[in-house]
Amino acid sequence: MKLDLDRPAVDYREGVRMTPGVEAGPLAEKAPYVDHGTAPIDPRRYRDPAEAAREWEKMWTKVWTHAGFASDIPNPGDWFKYDLGPESFVVVRGQDDEIRAFYNVCPHRGNRIARTDFGTATDCFTCAFHGWKFGDDGALLSVKDPETFRPETLAHVTGLTAVRCEIWAGLVFINMDDDAEDLRSFLGILPEHLDAFHFEKMRVSEDIVYTYDANWKTTYDAFMEFYHADMIHPELGEAMETYWNQYDLYPKGISRMLLPFGYAPDKVADPDEVNEALVQTLVRYEGNPEDWKHLKGHEYATALVEVKRRLAEREGWDHFKELSDSQVLGDWNYSFFPNVTINIFGEMAYFQMFRPHPTDPMKCVWRSIQLNLVGANGFQPVLATGLGNDQDDPEDWDGTVRPPIVYAQTPEETGFILAQDCYLVPPVQEGINSRSFKGLILGEQEVRIRHYLAELDRYLEA
């Protein structure tokens, strides 16, 4: 791979654009430039426990956060647990098919009602400590040995405490603030931009949780730019753009980067050569390399778009007809405030969530969940965590059995690509913690970091 190419200077108001020749469609239009200045970012916001406390009280408890997926609780009584910082919630589908969320706290003595990731409340929720029972609507159904309580004491009894819960595109969100704006308003441009991908039709194919030795923002920042890709993920650069990417900023702290995929970029040794990464990608999407021998490496996206559209027709993904070539093949990477990124590749969406650790601001809980469209003819998912390496993708996956959450104990358990970040992010935090470090110096490929921090400041200053 050749780096340090002779490229023209970048006008910061325009930024870098996607490489010419990518059929991107109207939603790929460049967003107006937002100027967040040039000052270094104060490192205290990444290392000061007082800052973490401010974030919790003034931001995390005021915003909509992505808790999970409606497809994980398809039947009445099905529930999943969602943890955020020191709080825990249980999200349940009621007998009336409505999805509700409650604090995962028994009002008797504070015991956690749900202790596993998923379950079904066949008749009700039962507290494992003293046997109090609650309906899937949160109502108190019974108190064990009620005759031993004075009537005046039972007068204080309540059901489970509800928390606001709303759904978009099959994604479940909760909000601890009763006075916060509604979810649709909070999501800004996201429904307009992403409804065409139909997340609600997708099902979970992989789910991984890992605890980083770094503040949640330090970890989040690593996934808000692709400036690091050539150094950290060189395998991706054989078939994916790491420079000619488009960075767009939108209101509500939302941003995106459009990353062209499926051709030999200008930085590889020979862009005319069809390298092995391109060939293997074609094969994974059930294409025959012999049919495309006439193409050069920098033209190979043509083949990949065609085989993916053929695959979509065979598998019954009719909405592909409404997607541009870039949406079918490229990596449309969106982030929504405060802590989620989504890499979208047409038939799949790769979600990453960056949550504050419940007790230690120098750690964070990272979770990655891949969703895939279910095919009518059994197409098997290509896992994003293994891109750039020979990988074992799922076999006999049809979306009917939800894979368990993998609680990774080592970087390797997060997947080939993500392990590279797991090893590199903690040393960044160590450097930020140094008394010598004066602040983050951010270029125009890192504008998404300034953007979400500006939105965070809006909450902190309220």
Side-chain angles (χ1 to χ4, degrees), residues 182-198:
D182 64 86
L183 176 63
R184 279 279 173 160
S185 175
F186 182 82
L187 292 174
I189 55 89
L190 290 175
E192 175 192 356
H193 281 232
L194 301 183
D195 278 349
F197 291 103
H198 290 281

